[in-house]
């Protein structure tokens, strides 16, 4: 599988074509599937991004929080909306499809052709003082329940099964860091329809 690199840059200049702010945001992505023959495969997605300008929080980097019970790729299942606000970040999403490596050796279970999934995703971000309303004038106040990310990344892990009745995927996902934040879900089950054979 050939690696895929993406590079994007968004630029807005205040006063040009109705733009209210000067805005400059760069993002670089990497994606590749690594095959291990009978041992399955690992999907790797890495992203790094930075907002170079001073902007109100809706224009900064707000991680995609999954507030539903469905599996949504490139999102965080146990993160609250606007829980973290950054202007620079590094994220990773690793998904290991074991291709029945364990379940294929269990009598009766093997006839179901289930596929085990292990996932690990996380994000390490930070916020410069120029985009923090506590240090910089003229910015919107952050919503209640928003935080500057500390020295540790936000991380989630998950285990699950694909190919249930040929159409269902079920993941159990738990939150590994920032467990002291109030009103959070520390774990949960996510489901999706996913045709795999």
């Amino acid at each position: 599988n050939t690696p895929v690199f993406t590079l994007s840059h968004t630029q807005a200049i205040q006063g040009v074509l109705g733009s209210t702010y000067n805005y400059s945001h760069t993002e670089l992505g990497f994606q590749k599937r690594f095959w291990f023959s009978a041992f399955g495969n690992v999907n790797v997605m890495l992203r790094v991004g930075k907002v170079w300008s001073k902007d109100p929080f809706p224009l900064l980097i707000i991680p995609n929080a999954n507030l539903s019970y469905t599996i949504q790729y490139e999102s965080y299942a146990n993160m609250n909306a606007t829980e973290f606000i950054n202007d620079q970040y590094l994220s990773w999403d690793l998904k290991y499809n074991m291709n029945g490596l364990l379940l294929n050796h269990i009598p009766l279970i093997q006839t179901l052709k289930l596929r085990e999934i292990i996932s690990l995703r996380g994000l390490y971000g930070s916020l410069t003082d120029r985009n923090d309303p506590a240090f910089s004038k003229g910015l919107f106040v952050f919503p209640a329940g928003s935080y500057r990310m500390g020295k540790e990344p936000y991380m989630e892990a998950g285990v699950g099964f694909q190919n249930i009745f040929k159409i269902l995927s079920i993941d159990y996902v738990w939150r590994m860091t920032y467990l002291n934040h109030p009103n959070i879900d520390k774990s949960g089950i996510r489901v999706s329809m996913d045709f795999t054979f």
Side-chain angles (χ1 to χ4, degrees):
N1 189 27
T2 304
V4 176
F5 294 90
T6 58
L7 175 64
S8 65
H9 181 77
T10 304
Q11 183 71 48
I13 301 173
Q14 188 174 10
V16 176
L17 298 176
S19 176
T20 307
Y21 302 99
N22 289 311
Y23 180 66
S24 182
H25 178 197
T26 304
E27 191 169 72
L28 174 66
F30 167 82
Q31 182 175 355
K32 181 171 172 55
R33 175 174 292 176
F34 295 90
W35 292 91
F36 302 116
S37 186
F39 300 102
N41 61 76
V42 174
N43 285 323
V44 177
M45 297 181 64
L46 304 173
R47 292 191 187 279
V48 59
K50 182 175 178 67
V51 174
W52 305 93
S53 48
K54 174 183 174 181
D55 292 292
F57 77 84
L59 295 178
L60 300 182
I61 298 164
I62 301 174
N64 185 18
N66 179 6
L67 304 180
S68 73
Y69 290 100
T70 61
I71 297 171
Q72 296 180 11
Y73 299 105
E74 293 191 73
S75 68
Y76 300 95
N78 294 308
M79 182 188 291
N80 290 334
T82 69
E83 184 175 351
F84 298 102
I85 298 176
N86 307 301
D87 58 11
Q88 49 196 1
Y89 81 101
L90 167 67
S91 70
W92 56 93
D93 193 333
L94 312 176
K95 186 174 182 180
Y96 178 27
N97 181 346
M98 299 177 69
N99 200 29
L101 181 63
L102 300 177
L103 297 178
N104 282 350
H105 295 89
I106 302 175
L108 300 181
I109 296 294
Q110 67 179 354
T111 61
L112 299 176
K113 296 184 178 180
L114 300 179
R115 300 292 180 257
E116 315 92 326
I117 299 291
I118 299 175
S119 61
L120 177 66
R121 63 183 58 88
L123 180 139
Y124 179 72
S126 61
L127 183 70
T128 57
D129 288 348
R130 72 169 175 270
N131 282 313
D132 189 334
F135 298 95
S136 187
K137 294 182 179 179
L139 296 174
F140 298 156
V141 176
F142 285 175
S146 297
Y147 301 88
R148 285 183 75 152
M149 190 166 280
K151 294 183 178 180
E152 64 178 348
Y154 174 87
M155 291 194 297
E156 291 180 348
V159 293
F161 301 103
Q162 282 185 335
N163 207 35
I164 302 170
F165 306 121
K166 302 292 187 183
I167 59 171
L168 289 178
S169 294
I170 297 179
D171 284 359
Y172 176 74
V173 185
W174 65 95
R175 179 172 173 144
M176 303 171 69
T177 56
Y178 296 97
L179 300 177
N180 60 333
H181 286 183
N183 303 314
I184 61 170
D185 290 328
K186 295 183 179 180
S187 63
I189 293 177
R190 301 294 182 266
V191 180
S192 72
M193 295 187 69
D194 193 8
F195 294 91
T196 56
F197 300 95

